[in-house]
Amino acid sequence: MKRLLFLISMIITCASYSNADEIVVPDIVIPKGSTATLDIQLNNNQQIRTEVQFLITLPEGITLVHKSSKLGERFNGMAVAPGDVSEGNNQWTVMISAAGATNDPIPEKSGTLVTVDLLADDSIEEGTELNGCLEVTDMNLASGGSIVGDIQSLVNFKITIGQPDDGRLKFYETSTTLPPYTAGEKANVTMHRTIKANQWSTICLPFNLTKDQIDEVFGSNAKFATWSKWEVVYEDDNETPKAISIDFTELSDRTLSRQGIVAGKPYLIKTQKDIESFELDGVVLGSTTPTEQSMFDSEPYYNGVLYGTFVKKTVPDNGLFISNNQFWYSTGKTSIKAFRCWFELEAVLNHSEAESRISMNFLDDNSSNINEINSRDSETGYPVYDIMGRKVYSQLKKGLYIENRKKKIVK
């Protein structure tokens, strides 16, 4: 059976980041007369002690909900506890206290430290923009010594008053927290998840969708695919990896009618229309934790995992994600928005040659070819790449190319 190459082999790009430790507080939208969660994040290169403390100053009409503070997932399994205390004058101290070993460093290098809920008075007009401020009042290195003077002392964040709570469960792709819900219950939901038309992207939803709901939201011509196989492609010596091939099975209408979209399961999606948000009534909610899909390569030798996320998240170092129809790899500080997926493939971690050449192959769920796109190899039998390292499929135009690791000029 002939496999189909859908995306060209490509050079994977990463972004560079500042080495400075920094506190990040994303802007927040609070429904009029209701609450929303404020997220306090830390990006750090140094090892910082688990005990930290902040002073939050809020504008008139916005209050911090007492005892609403919750630890971020960076502290999972650690003997630490959050807390919040009113200081008067619309100021609150939010702290993380350690039980015993206060010199233990905060795990990981980025992500949420603590969240608190803010309440907006119902007298504030919808659309009003206000400003809050967070001050770092206590932060120390695990080895000793305060860094309050080294890290930025004040962090400003914007508060926007949104529409009054309409009882819908709201999911935001820019949020680092999930709204509270119970698996198995039905709910009316508003999902803010942008999708660009006519390109494959990943999706992972916290609720089930029937075929009718899929058609209503994404269109009856939307395509979905699941991960079915991956393999390492070797050089002639059968020992040196030179590329990675990832196979997906496109789901037929019959499969979607029978199974729908399963909550927490990672998929690829391609629509023929741009999507910014959608609303659905009566969806069945799934678990608050996405399902991990683990799979060995075809040898089998290397393990691979496809992860979904319901919150904006930092992709681990060398994790692969899809954006703008291309694979990208994370530097360990690269964030992806919520309701998306990323890969961890052992071969990428071990072989730089393989990590720069990754292709995606699509089959229908009857294991036959779909929408055949043939690669254009040169007359010599070697594939041709442009100067950006992308494999060329069409007739070569004037310019500089790479063929068999040599420059090729087309005049």
Side-chain angles (χ1 to χ4, degrees), residues 238-279:
N238 291 322
E239 294 182 0
T240 306
K242 66 176 181 179
I244 294 173
S245 176
I246 305 176
D247 290 4
F248 292 88
T249 299
E250 186 176 338
L251 304 182
S252 66
D253 284 347
R254 181 180 179 182
T255 299
L256 289 172
S257 296
R258 186 175 64 250
Q259 300 177 355
I261 294 300
V262 180
K265 185 174 180 177
Y267 294 89
L268 264 70
I269 181 175
K270 184 168 72 170
T271 65
Q272 293 190 17
K273 63 179 181 179
D274 290 335
I275 294 174
E276 293 187 0
S277 63
F278 60 86
E279 292 186 348

